[in-house]
Amino acid sequence: AQRVTQPEKLLSVFKGAPVELKCNYSYSGSPELFWYVQYSRQRLQLLLRHISRESIKGFTADLNKGETSFHLKKPFAQEEDSAMYYCALTSGSARQLTFGSGTQLTVLP
Amino acid sequence: DAGVTQSPTHLIKTRGQQVTLRCSPKSGHDTVSWYQQALGQGPQFIFQYYEEEERQRGNFPDRFSGHQFPNYSSELNVNALLLGDSALYLCASSPGLKPGYEQYFGPGTRLTVT
């Protein structure tokens, strides 16, 4: 069965510092990985997906199949990056999302 | 386009009661998925509807059922409510099931069972 693990529930960094949110997964097939973000009082929204290999709001994530990881990185954190971040993968014919338990990122001034 | 909408926003029910939650997908989307998000956890997949049929189901008991209407809107029904059903219920829609299709989430319905 597929599983997504985010080891850090809480992460605090200072503005301008690099940030890395960890995500590990277990899945027997070829997964499609995503990062979703939820800002305060807003709905869950897609941040980026590995197949598009894009950078959104300065965030990037590389799929490492050997380490089964999909860590989210940003070189210089901003206060507006403070939010809850969820790593997720899709599987099955219905492409249902399996989410990790999330990491609350706080960027301090 | 208002995106995915859900109603009601909040709901309080008593153990043993039944509840119906509603979802309208984003314009142009025909696939609706439901997720349960317990406090401090990530969303968990309940089931998905496409062409008015349940296409896939997660690890949830039969007390959880749903329906999709011809206009693609959907309902989630939960019977014989338990305290453990208290959670945020999220609806997500997408324009089909092909790889790369983004799922758009609604704001959720907060269900409290007392």
Side-chain angles (χ1 to χ4, degrees):
Chain A
Q2 63 271 16
R3 186 179 180 90
V4 176
T5 303
Q6 294 179 250
E8 305 139 327
K9 273 203 163 314
L10 303 171
L11 182 63
S12 294
V13 300
F14 286 101
K15 177 183 174 181
V19 61
E20 180 179 69
L21 289 82
K22 292 183 168 50
C23 172
N24 289 89
Y25 67 91
S26 62
Y27 182 59
S28 56
S30 294
E32 187 175 351
L33 274 295
F34 303 82
W35 277 99
Y36 279 80
V37 61
Q38 188 167 27
Y39 300 102
S40 180
R41 298 188 185 86
Q42 294 187 27
R43 62 186 67 189
L44 197 59
Q45 58 186 283
L46 179 66
L47 179 62
L48 56 79
R49 66 191 96 187
H50 91 272
I51 58 172
S52 54
R53 300 187 64 81
E54 56 198 345
S55 172
I56 303 294
K57 299 184 178 181
F59 284 98
T60 59
D62 289 321
L63 179 59
N64 186 324
K65 292 186 178 180
E67 296 182 357
T68 60
S69 68
F70 188 56
H71 302 328
L72 183 68
K73 301 176 183 180
K74 185 170 182 176
F76 307 104
Q78 303 298 315
E79 289 182 67
E80 55 265 31
D81 296 330
S82 296
M84 178 67 86
Y85 291 81
Y86 293 97
C87 181
L89 64 78
T90 57
S91 62
S93 57
R95 302 182 52 71
Q96 64 265 32
L97 288 161
T98 298
F99 286 88
S101 56
T103 297
Q104 177 68 51
L105 173 66
T106 301
V107 181
L108 304 167
Chain B
D1 180 17
V4 180
T5 60
Q6 293 185 244
S7 62
T9 306
H10 296 90
L11 204 49
I12 299 175
K13 290 286 188 179
T14 305
R15 266 183 308 176
Q17 286 188 316
Q18 179 263 345
V19 69
T20 297
L21 311 182
R22 295 176 176 82
C23 170
S24 290
K26 183 176 170 62
S27 177
H29 289 188
D30 58 7
T31 304
V32 174
S33 301
W34 287 92
Y35 293 82
Q36 180 195 65
Q37 187 174 19
L39 201 60
Q41 300 296 319
Q44 269 196 292
F45 176 73
I46 302 174
F47 44 52
Q48 182 184 83
Y49 278 85
Y50 174 68
E51 293 185 337
E52 301 181 48
E53 289 188 9
E54 183 182 294
R55 294 289 173 159
Q56 193 77 21
R57 188 178 186 92
N59 188 24
F60 280 80
D62 291 345
R63 297 187 298 108
F64 289 76
S65 63
H67 188 77
Q68 185 178 36
F69 299 93
N71 67 352
Y72 309 123
S73 66
S74 176
E75 287 182 349
L76 164 65
N77 300 292
V78 187
N79 294 322
L81 285 167
L82 303 175
L83 295 180
D85 295 331
S86 295
L88 181 67
Y89 288 84
L90 297 172
C91 171
S93 72
S94 64
L97 300 175
K98 292 182 181 178
Y101 281 175
E102 179 181 343
Q103 291 194 40
Y104 288 79
F105 283 82
T109 293
R110 172 74 62 188
L111 172 64
T112 302
V113 183
T114 62

